[in-house]
Structures are given as C-alpha cells and as structure tokens.
Amino acid sequence: MKRILSVVMTLSLAMGLTTGCAAGKKVNVGRTAAALFISDQQEAELGKQVKQELETKEKIKYVEDPAVLEYVRSVATPILQAANRDRQNVKWKVNVIDDPKMVNAFATPGGYLYVYTGLLLAADNEAELAGVLGHEAAHVTGRHSAQALMLQYGQEAIKQVALGKNPGTAAQIASSLAGAGTGLAFSRSNETEADELGAKYTSAAGYDPRGLVTFFQKLAAAEGKTPGFMKWLSTHPASADRVQHLNSYISQKGLTGSNAGTERLAPIKARLKQ
C-alpha cells in the first residue's frame, strides 16, 4: 500500500502530528506509527543491543557503590510505576554511569534508563533528579526514542539492530548517546510531551514537579561556563518558552508534590566526591 502510506507520512511529519477522536482525546500519530513498525519486543531487543555496544565499544563504566545505585533506583521506582500506567509492558532497567564530568541522562527503547554521576552531582535536590528521570522515562512511554531512531537510521536498519544483525548501526547509536555526539534528535512536540509527562510522573511519585524547571534554569545559567552541562542541553534546549510552558502546564493540571529530597541526595553526592 505505497510502502504503508510512505511509512505513515514519514512518521507523521517527523513525529509532530496529532489528531482528534470521537472521545475528544488527541491521538499521537507518530507514536502510533512507531508502534506499528517496531513491536515492544523489538524495542526491548534494540535497547539490549545498544547496551551491549555501550559496554563493549564505548567502555562505559557503571557505578559499583551499591548505596549510590540503590539510591538512584529508589528515586526512579515510583516514577517508573507512574510511567507504566501510560505504557504497561515496559520492563525498566536503571543504570548509573560513573562519569562525574558528564551531566547527562538518556533512555533507549525497551526501558533502558541511564544516569551519569555528573547529573547527580549537578542536581541540588532529589526533585531535580526525579524530574530528569521522569522526562527520560516519558521518551520511552511516548515511543519518542523509537521514533527518533527510525527517522535517523531507517526502519529496516533499526529492525536489523534489534535482531543483532546490524552492529554498525548499533555502534553508531551507542557512540552518539555516550560520546560527544548529538544523541537522539527529538522533535519539539516530543520534547514538550516528555516535559508534561515527566512532570506528571514526578508529581505522582510525590516529588515537586517543578524540579525539572529549576534544573533547566540552572543548566541555562551555566551554558557556556560549564562544558559538562552542555551534553544534556544539546538534546534538551532550556529555552524560556519551554520553561514557561512547563510552569503553565503544572499549574493548569494542578500537579503537586512536596518532596524535594535534599536530605537523601546530600550524602550520595558526598560519596561520589570521595
């Protein structure tokens, strides 16, 4: 059928198209297209292949301190439980990468969530960490990561990676995520949705949903002064419009949360500085 309507209008005009339905809800056509062309199982296998490349080719080093790993996973758990209400079949795997100079976090299809120790050190409180985790989880629940990879590398190439038959593309993806590359290229609409869903998830977990806002503001203030901050900014530009929209969304939806978590984060940061 004309290559399935030209891969559903090139993944619905680069993942930015939504349409209404009878119930009055909006349907994200790009997300639907990604679900059509890449199954949940293929996403899980894709994430597994990229993880192997990160470990073997990029030589990423995981944190060995069980206290740090347990802490990050304890913050992530209620957020990911909230995320699973939007996408129930994601089997999350949270990893902490030991690199204090890299302020970054990313997620890959299949629920693989990676946090750098540099981000833990940059966060002023637990709510900021939770905001970033919620945002990255939203890229998975919204199928943004799968959409971005399909657009950047092509549907067939991504399916071959999932099958373990395209190590070249898997290596490119891993290098882009972990190295000095640009990471995944998300559309503006995808970033907006991830901001909104991330705020919803962090609020549901009891955290102040404005944690992501304050983290954005801090990154923007440090732009050009602290090179390590630039990695997350390169794929998540902290524009004034973006911050304003997120603040408005939080107010309009009545999202609340009182947990800032400064007390728990402080000793973890001290351990990382040893």
Side-chain angles (χ1 to χ4, degrees):
M1 194 168 61
K2 291 199 174 179
R3 205 169 172 262
I4 314 294
L5 292 180
S6 189
V7 189
V8 184
M9 297 166 58
T10 310
L11 278 181
S12 300
L13 302 180
M15 312 171 299
L17 189 63
T18 60
T19 185
C21 69
K25 296 180 180 180
K26 289 185 176 180
V27 177
N28 188 307
V29 186
R31 182 187 308 172
T32 303
L36 176 63
F37 290 108
I38 300 183
S39 68
D40 290 335
Q41 182 60 36
Q42 287 172 324
E43 281 200 34
E45 289 299 322
L46 175 58
K48 181 180 177 181
Q49 294 297 324
V50 172
K51 181 175 184 289
Q52 290 176 355
E53 291 294 327
L54 286 168
E55 294 168 352
T56 59
K57 300 292 177 61
E58 296 303 313
K59 306 293 184 183
I60 61 170
K61 179 183 177 184
Y62 293 123
V63 167
E64 296 181 357
D65 187 339
V68 175
L69 184 57
E70 181 180 348
Y71 167 74
V72 174
R73 288 178 173 170
S74 73
V75 176
T77 295
I79 294 168
L80 300 179
Q81 288 173 343
N84 275 353
R85 295 172 195 149
D86 287 336
R87 191 174 176 188
Q88 298 178 0
N89 50 358
V90 178
K91 307 299 182 184
W92 300 96
K93 303 95 180 168
V94 180
N95 304 278
V96 182
I97 299 175
D98 188 3
D99 188 343
K101 295 182 179 180
M102 184 70 77
V103 179
N104 198 22
F106 62 89
T108 64
Y112 289 84
L113 185 59
Y114 300 87
V115 182
Y116 285 79
T117 53
L119 190 142
L120 299 177
L121 292 168
D124 286 331
N125 55 59
E126 201 167 284
E128 291 186 347
L129 170 61
V132 173
L133 292 173
H135 177 96
E136 294 301 333
H139 280 315
V140 176
T141 59
R143 297 185 185 269
H144 304 158
S145 301
Q147 293 173 40
L149 288 172
M150 287 177 66
L151 284 170
Q152 288 176 241
Y153 298 98
Q155 174 196 351
E156 291 305 319
I158 292 304
K159 285 190 173 184
Q160 289 298 307
V161 171
L163 293 171
K165 297 180 179 180
N166 193 339
T169 297
Q172 289 180 45
I173 296 169
S175 177
S176 178
L177 291 170
T182 57
L184 298 183
F186 298 115
S187 71
R188 183 172 180 177
S189 63
N190 280 173
E191 288 290 9
T192 297
E193 184 178 42
D195 288 346
E196 294 174 352
L197 291 176
K200 183 178 77 169
Y201 300 156
T202 54
S203 175
Y207 290 104
D208 182 350
R210 287 185 170 81
L212 185 58
V213 171
T214 61
F215 196 70
F216 272 141
Q217 292 172 329
K218 177 167 40 189
L219 293 184
E223 189 172 2
K225 301 176 185 177
T226 309
F229 277 30
M230 301 308 294
K231 179 62 177 177
W232 210 66
L233 277 180
S234 68
T235 51
H236 302 79
S239 68
D241 288 346
R242 185 173 189 175
V243 168
Q244 182 179 2
H245 173 81
L246 186 51
N247 273 325
S248 296
Y249 178 84
I250 291 170
S251 296
Q252 290 169 4
K253 297 298 181 180
L255 299 181
T256 60
S258 59
N259 186 8
T262 306
E263 300 81 6
R264 287 213 312 159
L265 177 58
I268 294 300
K269 292 173 71 169
R271 295 178 74 95
L272 292 174
K273 292 177 181 178
Q274 291 177 356

